[in-house]
Amino acid sequence: RTVLYYPMGNYTTAIITGVVIGLGGVGAFQVSTVSMMCFQKFVPSSQIPSSATEPVPKGSQNSIRTTWTAPSGVTGKQAIDQVKTVFESYPQQGQQSIDQGGWKVADGSFDEGVFRLEYTSGVGFFARLLNGGQGFVDDVLVHVMTKETPVRAELRSSSRMGKSDLGVNQKRLAFLAKQIRTQGWEAPNPTYPK
């Protein structure tokens, strides 16, 4: 397999050529050549959103912003603790066939209520084909607004690569929203911006 990358502004073109050899019957071999050109939007780490409140472009299929609102009477400290508990409950092995590469706190701190998490996909077909055998990385930014009444949490989940995330950010935020609702929070079902 040969992979050639050509930078094109914010896009990288990958030309992938390989030979596939498979058993085509009893004792017979079948040989075919595979060539494919792929366009993927690449987001350098310097372009990772800097804030959970940063707007998501209309029509985006790889980023979602949402707001969770705490029940009346919840203090800033209680809100931070509840949000922390929800994020820590997210399974390291992923869920619904997403985030199978785990997650980690990349910036900030749960205890401060301002943090960025990195979620990594498993290494499936597309990761092997388009991402050098590495899992795709998504960023979730969270800011618990402790001075607001009622306290709220702003969240932004974004993929670093591709025009579409195939529903991954929505599944992740839906799982987390379901968990925070058990604490009495209002958390809408996440949707991509129209």
Side-chain angles (χ1 to χ4, degrees):
R1 178 179 81 164
T2 304
V3 181
L4 305 170
Y5 292 98
Y6 298 97
M8 295 171 46
N10 283 336
Y11 290 83
T12 298
T13 304
I15 301 173
I16 301 159
T17 305
V19 175
V20 177
I21 300 173
L23 194 56
V26 180
F29 285 94
Q30 183 176 23
V31 179
S32 63
T33 301
V34 178
S35 291
M36 182 183 304
M37 184 178 272
C38 306
F39 295 94
Q40 284 292 317
K41 184 170 183 181
F42 176 71
V43 181
S45 58
S46 63
Q47 293 182 9
I48 294 171
S50 59
S51 166
T53 59
E54 187 174 314
V56 170
K58 287 184 181 183
S60 173
Q61 289 296 304
N62 69 353
S63 297
I64 296 178
R65 247 194 90 222
T66 191
T67 302
W68 297 346
T69 306
S72 179
V74 169
T75 67
K77 171 75 171 108
Q78 290 169 327
I80 287 172
D81 290 344
Q82 291 171 355
V83 168
K84 175 183 176 182
T85 299
V86 164
F87 277 91
E88 287 179 333
S89 75
Y90 195 87
Q92 275 293 337
Q93 72 277 13
Q95 49 89 27
Q96 294 186 59
S97 300
I98 66 166
D99 301 328
Q100 294 170 331
W103 60 269
K104 66 180 182 178
V105 177
D107 289 314
S109 159
F110 283 134
D111 294 326
E112 294 171 13
V114 179
F115 53 91
R116 179 176 64 86
L117 302 169
E118 290 180 351
Y119 290 80
T120 305
S121 72
V123 181
F125 174 77
F126 288 111
R128 284 192 297 275
L129 183 67
L130 301 172
N131 205 32
Q134 302 295 310
F136 294 105
V137 178
D138 294 345
D139 297 286
V140 176
L141 289 90
V142 179
H143 186 170
V144 181
M145 314 293 268
T146 58
K147 305 252 190 261
E148 302 289 324
T149 304
V151 176
R152 69 178 197 277
E154 297 291 342
L155 296 87
R156 188 183 203 278
S157 187
S158 303
S159 297
R160 290 189 189 174
M161 189 179 224
K163 286 186 157 191
S164 172
D165 64 12
L166 304 175
V168 169
N169 287 296
Q170 188 172 40
K171 286 179 185 176
R172 179 184 306 118
L173 289 177
F175 179 93
L176 294 163
K178 183 177 178 182
Q179 302 303 313
I180 199 72
R181 283 188 211 114
T182 66
Q183 304 281 331
W185 288 58
E186 290 179 28
N189 288 324
T191 58
Y192 294 94
K194 298 210 185 287

